[in-house]
Amino acid sequence: MTKTIIEPFRIKSVEPIRWTTRQERENLLRAAHYNLFLLPAADVLIDLLTDSGTGAMSTHQWAAIMEGDESYAGSKSFDRFRQSVQDIFGYRHVIPTHQGRAAERILFSVMCKKGYVVPNNTHFDTTRANVEFVGAEAVDLMIPEGKQPSLLHPFKGNMDVAALEQLILRVGRERIPLVMLTVTNNSGGGQPVSMENIRQVSAVCRANRIPLYFDACRFAENAYFIKTREKEFEANSPKQIAQEMFRYGDGCTMSAKKDGMANIGGFLCTNDEILAQQETNLLILTEGYPTYGGLAGRDLEAIAVGLQEALEEDYLRYRIASTAYLGDHIAAEGVPIVQPPGGHAIYIDARAFLPHIPADRFPGVALAAELYLEGGIRSVEIGTLMFGAAAKMDLVRLAIPRRVYTQSHVDYLVEVIVEVWKHRRRIQGLELIYEAPFLRHFTAQLQPLSSTGAGREREQKIDEPALPR
Ligand SMILES: *Cc1c(COP(=O)(O)O)cnc(C)c1O
């Protein structure tokens, strides 16, 4: 008999979370203008806004923090950090940064310029912004299967290798300074990339003498998916798999706030001596001296330990199982989610959940607001509020912080989501009353349509369509 997968840790220090009444949440939501970014975190019961920097550190990490060497130059903590990174990633040069986007900015400043093109399975939003900031073009080449939310496929994060070859033929290899693979594919639903795909992409890159870089934020989760879904690797440890993945590349960017199991930090790696020198020069200009790069010695220690812990098999089994547990349990009740569940988050398809709310009435925001009202849960819309009319989907992301919530928290989440699913027809759309000129989702203010005469009229005109199960 397979037994329940329990949290592979016991709890040594606790942080209370606060219950609020429904009346309080109604007032808080109104005061936050129905935008959950504007809620005080203390008024959230279960916070699934992001898995970035929100994880719990282990006793080993806290112990290592006390060993932090805060010397400006040549810190012992940097040696330990570099050793841990090189043990897994294997790259010659390791450059610490304060988080992932700083590594991206330095990498693209050095490697890209106007007229260049950077292919990726899917650029994360800061990655795309940093490519475009230096005047280059960011091209997403995910396989077509990755774009269909309900379609089952073991490696929906894969890059379309034929499309990559065509792109190289079309624009010429001289205009492609590097190819990137994001593991797992965050913007594509936390879906993994297979080793087979990594090998194929690497072969195309090497044949064309184009360096391959990894956006490695969730490398450990990706390694575990390879272990469980690619037969060849079932007997390998996640660490061996990660080591092999990175051997097919020439460098990486990393946010230690994800699979670094730390609350802050990042790094940039390369095998190229000349690039490393240019990158280090930029680092000194904006991040700091090369042996700390915008981090305290204690942060370097926490990351050195965290990277290794992220690869522990017991941890990964629990991590991937608990994300799937949430997804499978709500899907079993009919809630439409991006399938199969990814590594770090569950994405609810808000357009399918609320078919009576048109995209321009923000179904994702409306659903996120309702989850908060019903159970004090904070999630995030990834859809029309974030991307405007260009949004192809309206998703609500439930990102799971690492080692923070237990199975009873997840059971509670399932209960709240299923309750909202049952009364979904009562949920109303919203309208914008304030938006900033860019990145509007962080500060936007909205109100329910029913609070204005115009909205009420419009709502009444919409016939309720038959809802899919
Ligand atoms: C979080 C993330 C980044 C950026 O890292 P920060 O530490 O937030 O700057 C880049 N790429 C991916 C895939 C990410 O998930």
Side-chain angles (χ1 to χ4, degrees):
M1 196 191 91
T2 52
K3 299 202 173 58
T4 303
I5 294 167
I6 61 168
E7 289 80 18
F9 48 81
R10 52 186 180 179
I11 295 166
K12 188 165 233 161
S13 175
V14 297
E15 182 181 6
I17 50 178
R18 190 173 94 83
W19 290 94
T20 45
T21 63
R22 184 169 179 110
Q23 184 61 53
E24 282 176 311
R25 290 195 294 280
E26 279 171 12
N27 295 338
L28 287 158
L29 195 58
R30 205 172 309 117
H33 303 285
Y34 297 84
N35 180 348
L36 302 185
F37 276 107
L38 304 179
L39 275 179
D43 296 324
V44 174
L45 185 68
I46 298 196
D47 203 343
L48 308 183
L49 186 67
T50 177
D51 66 321
S52 177
T54 52
M57 289 203 292
S58 67
T59 48
H60 294 303
Q61 284 178 293
W62 283 109
I65 274 178
M66 287 306 294
E67 301 278 348
D69 174 358
E70 306 302 343
S71 305
Y72 191 93
S75 149
K76 280 201 298 282
S77 298
F78 177 71
D79 291 337
R80 282 193 282 262
F81 167 81
R82 183 172 53 190
Q83 220 163 40
S84 179
V85 172
Q86 284 180 332
D87 174 41
I88 299 163
F89 293 75
Y91 300 124
R92 203 166 313 139
H93 303 280
V94 180
I95 298 169
T97 59
H98 80 277
Q99 55 184 86
R101 67 196 68 185
E104 292 169 349
R105 193 189 53 80
I106 291 172
L107 176 70
F108 297 127
S109 302
V110 167
M111 292 191 81
C112 288
K113 61 179 187 192
K114 200 169 153 46
Y116 280 9
V117 178
V118 179
N120 197 322
N121 43 349
T122 311
H123 288 83
F124 180 65
D125 56 7
T126 61
T127 321
R128 170 175 291 276
N130 275 295
V131 170
E132 291 173 350
F133 186 71
V134 296
E137 187 191 346
V139 179
D140 292 341
L141 297 178
M142 186 170 56
I143 55 168
E145 291 89 336
K147 293 167 198 158
Q148 294 165 252
S150 59
L151 185 91
L152 283 166
H153 183 287
F155 292 104
K156 276 174 120 173
N158 281 355
M159 180 177 273
D160 185 334
V161 180
L164 174 64
E165 287 178 307
Q166 281 160 19
L167 181 79
I168 297 171
L169 276 180
R170 185 163 61 78
V171 307
R173 58 160 291 278
E174 328 71 54
R175 284 176 56 206
I176 303 179
L178 74 161
V179 171
M180 272 201 124
L181 271 179
T182 305
V183 294
T184 58
N185 189 12
N186 184 2
S187 309
Q191 301 290 333
V193 178
S194 69
M195 191 73 87
E196 184 191 17
N197 190 247
I198 293 170
R199 285 173 179 159
Q200 289 169 348
V201 169
S202 173
V204 170
C205 288
R206 290 197 174 159
N208 288 280
R209 298 188 307 283
I210 301 171
L212 172 62
Y213 276 68
F214 288 92
D215 179 338
C217 297
R218 297 179 182 80
F219 74 97
E221 291 170 9
N222 201 89
Y224 191 72
F225 280 119
I226 288 176
K227 180 179 171 64
T228 51
R229 295 182 185 176
E230 263 179 302
K231 194 104 188 80
E232 180 187 343
F233 296 96
E234 65 184 0
N236 292 56
S237 69
K239 186 163 166 177
Q240 289 169 327
I241 294 169
Q243 287 165 332
E244 175 166 345
M245 273 168 39
F246 294 125
R247 274 202 295 278
Y248 296 115
D250 302 280
C252 71
T253 57
M254 173 76 189
S255 169
K257 302 174 74 172
K258 299 7 180 313
D259 279 350
M261 310 290 267
N263 301 121
I264 195 71
F267 53 87
L268 169 60
C269 291
T270 179
N271 279 334
D272 186 311
E273 186 76 36
I274 295 164
L275 282 179
Q277 217 161 59
Q278 294 169 341
E279 286 162 359
T280 304
N281 292 341
L282 261 185
L283 183 84
I284 294 171
L285 199 62
T286 59
E287 290 280 297
Y289 190 75
T291 58
Y292 74 86
L295 294 169
R298 54 179 169 268
D299 298 327
L300 295 169
E301 296 279 355
I303 298 165
V305 176
L307 288 169
Q308 302 291 335
E309 289 183 350
L311 285 167
E312 281 170 13
E313 204 168 319
D314 286 346
Y315 159 71
L316 283 168
R317 186 183 306 114
Y318 140 80
R319 167 79 176 154
I320 301 303
S322 80
T323 305
Y325 180 95
L326 172 60
D328 292 344
H329 279 76
I330 60 175
E333 297 294 325
V335 176
I337 65 166
V338 175
Q339 290 283 10
H344 69 292
I346 294 300
Y347 296 71
I348 301 178
D349 182 346
R351 285 188 196 173
F353 196 112
L354 302 170
H356 57 288
I357 302 181
D360 65 349
R361 295 307 187 190
F362 307 107
V365 182
L367 178 54
E370 192 67 20
L371 292 173
Y372 177 69
L373 268 186
E374 182 67 33
I377 300 166
R378 176 154 69 174
S379 54
V380 66
E381 185 245 25
I382 300 185
T384 305
L385 183 61
M386 194 175 274
F387 301 121
K392 292 190 189 71
M393 294 190 271
D394 276 277
L395 302 176
V396 169
R397 185 184 73 179
L398 307 158
I400 319 290
R402 291 169 181 76
R403 301 189 292 207
V404 169
Y405 296 116
T406 64
Q407 183 164 341
S408 59
H409 290 114
V410 180
D411 283 332
Y412 172 83
L413 290 169
V414 171
E415 288 163 17
V416 171
I417 295 164
V418 169
E419 182 52 44
V420 170
W421 173 244
K422 283 183 186 149
H423 71 244
R424 61 194 180 277
R425 285 156 221 258
R426 293 210 302 269
I427 301 172
Q428 291 166 332
L430 298 153
E431 63 184 342
L432 261 178
I433 53 174
Y434 166 75
E435 62 177 314
F438 48 87
L439 294 175
R440 65 177 182 174
H441 53 287
F442 290 122
T443 53
Q445 300 180 3
L446 302 99
Q447 67 184 13
L449 276 164
S450 56
S451 61
T452 64
R456 201 172 296 126
E457 229 163 73
R458 186 183 162 126
E459 285 285 284
Q460 280 165 359
K461 277 203 213 106
I462 296 167
D463 282 331
E464 267 212 327
L467 290 168
R469 264 294 298 175

